[in-house]
Amino acid sequence: WYQRRVREAVVSTQSTGSFNFSIWLLSVVPLLIIQLNMSGGLPCLALVKEDVHKMLAASSHLGAANCTFQMENYVFKKRSESCVIDIKKTWEKLLLAARVIASIENPADVCVISSRNFGQRAVLKFASHTSSTAIAGRFTPGTFTNQIQAAFKEPRLLVVTDPRADHQAIMESSYVNIPVIAFCNTDSPTKYVDIAIPCNIKSSDSIGLMWWMLAREVLRMRGSIHRTVEWDVMPDLFFYRDETKEAETEAAAEIAGADSAPAFPAPAVDAFAAPMVPEVAGEPATMMQPASTFPAKEDWTAGGDATGADWAADAGGDWGADTNTDWAA
């Protein structure tokens, strides 16, 4: 139908010899519709099968049970337990965010924030690969508005993991006119958010994968890596890791390895080895007194003298008796 209308408009223009507005309308409007997508209809920016498999494996398409009216445009289907997010629109918004980040001349002016544990590792990895500024953990109030404190920053762009958890940073960015890019779920508030990337932000794997894909697209648009070459950084490096569970897993593996270890035979006896000194009960062999080479000493407590006299016997005198001796006489 479209091609037929274009042919009719061209024939009418050739016959009349004047400008026909319908030809311009039919030729320009489809191009404008195509440009509404961030991929622009270019094959190099299209969503590939491998990325779709990664997003499905990380459950990036599963939203919350509730849905706000701002996020209804990104919902493909509603179910009783969750909303299914349109992955195509997620990819388009991801490309838009990557274009905005790549347009910043100084990469350090891009501030990435995550107060949740699930996104702190991903934020630090994103900052290390894209040379941006990361704030992982608690956001100090006044970081963007209070010039007196040491942690004062003046970024040109703000990227947050969760609009609800990072509401303090988003509120302060609205005071100083800083544009905000946020990963939003179907029930996330979008107030003061300029670019919302629809995805599942309740899963640690989904958050890590979204940050990984955003970092990859930023590097591709900057020209750091080529699109035809696979990025050598694995998405697992952006995933959250629970140190407690890892320690328990390692301890269980060590115990299992010790139980399944084979019993080694006893070592063979060396005929030329020095004889072992027997151990005394209660005293290690290394603390035993060596044998003396001197003759044995006489035991003076064994008995009396040679005559057999009893030194304790008294002739009968009473040392305490009074003799009534008059010494003054």
Side-chain angles (χ1 to χ4, degrees):
W1 175 84
Y2 172 73
Q3 295 178 354
R4 181 170 55 84
R5 290 297 302 273
V6 170
R7 287 196 299 267
E8 292 177 357
V10 170
V11 171
S12 62
T13 302
Q14 292 177 353
S15 61
T16 58
S18 60
F19 174 76
N20 193 343
F21 179 75
S22 60
I23 295 180
W24 178 87
L25 188 64
L26 293 174
S27 59
V28 174
V29 170
L31 296 178
L32 294 177
I33 295 176
I34 293 176
Q35 292 298 328
L36 291 178
N37 297 329
M38 290 302 103
S39 60
L42 300 176
C44 60
L45 297 178
L47 182 61
V48 297
K49 187 193 308 182
E50 290 76 10
D51 293 340
V52 174
H53 291 170
K54 290 185 178 68
M55 296 172 70
L56 294 178
S59 302
S60 300
H61 65 292
L62 298 179
N66 300 327
C67 181
T68 58
F69 70 95
Q70 295 96 341
M71 301 296 295
E72 287 182 353
N73 296 331
Y74 306 108
V75 175
F76 173 76
K77 183 180 179 181
K78 289 185 178 181
R79 297 187 299 185
S80 58
E81 66 277 2
S82 63
C83 298
V84 180
I85 300 174
D86 192 351
I87 295 180
K88 177 64 176 177
K89 294 182 179 180
T90 300
W91 174 254
E92 298 293 339
K93 298 302 289 289
L94 197 69
L95 290 179
L96 175 60
R99 286 186 176 187
V100 174
I101 296 174
S103 63
I104 304 298
E105 297 178 358
N106 186 12
D109 290 339
V110 179
C111 185
V112 291
I113 297 177
S114 176
S115 60
R116 295 177 55 188
N117 296 331
F118 287 170
Q120 292 180 8
R121 181 183 178 88
V123 161
L124 295 174
K125 290 293 183 179
F126 180 88
S128 64
H129 289 292
T130 61
S131 303
S132 57
T133 304
I135 300 178
R138 180 180 180 272
F139 178 80
T140 304
T143 302
F144 299 152
T145 56
N146 189 4
Q147 300 180 2
I148 299 177
Q149 66 175 354
F152 176 73
K153 294 180 176 59
E154 291 181 307
R156 296 184 58 188
L157 182 64
L158 183 66
V159 186
V160 299
T161 304
D162 189 353
R164 184 172 284 106
D166 303 323
H167 64 92
Q168 181 66 29
I170 296 177
M171 183 64 67
E172 291 189 8
S173 66
S174 65
Y175 296 156
V176 292
N177 297 328
I178 299 176
V180 178
I181 300 174
F183 294 98
C184 298
N185 209 333
T186 55
D187 59 346
S188 299
T190 57
K191 189 176 182 180
Y192 303 126
V193 175
D194 299 285
I195 299 176
I197 303 175
C199 63
N200 182 11
I201 59 176
K202 295 183 179 180
S203 173
S204 59
D205 297 343
S206 176
I207 293 176
L209 179 64
M210 289 294 104
W211 279 107
W212 178 81
M213 296 180 70
L214 183 61
R216 185 190 63 177
E217 292 303 318
V218 170
L219 294 178
R220 285 178 175 178
M221 292 184 180
R222 288 178 181 175
S224 301
I225 58 177
H226 201 273
R227 289 190 175 272
T228 59
V229 179
E230 187 68 22
W231 195 22
D232 55 355
V233 177
M234 299 297 295
D236 302 347
L237 298 177
F238 286 70
F239 291 172
Y240 168 74
R241 294 182 180 178
D242 192 354
E243 298 180 358
T244 305
K245 292 184 178 180
E246 289 184 357
E248 294 177 355
T249 305
E250 292 178 358
E254 291 178 359
I255 294 174
D259 295 340
S260 61
F264 295 97
V269 179
D270 190 1
F272 299 96
M276 297 295 293
V277 180
E279 295 185 1
V280 180
E283 185 177 4
T286 56
M287 300 298 294
M288 292 181 62
Q289 184 179 2
S292 177
T293 57
F294 295 96
K297 297 181 179 180
E298 296 181 3
D299 189 3
W300 296 92
T301 62
D305 54 354
T307 59
D310 188 4
W311 294 93
D314 194 1
D318 187 4
W319 295 93
D322 189 7
T323 58
N324 297 324
T325 305
D326 189 4
W327 298 96

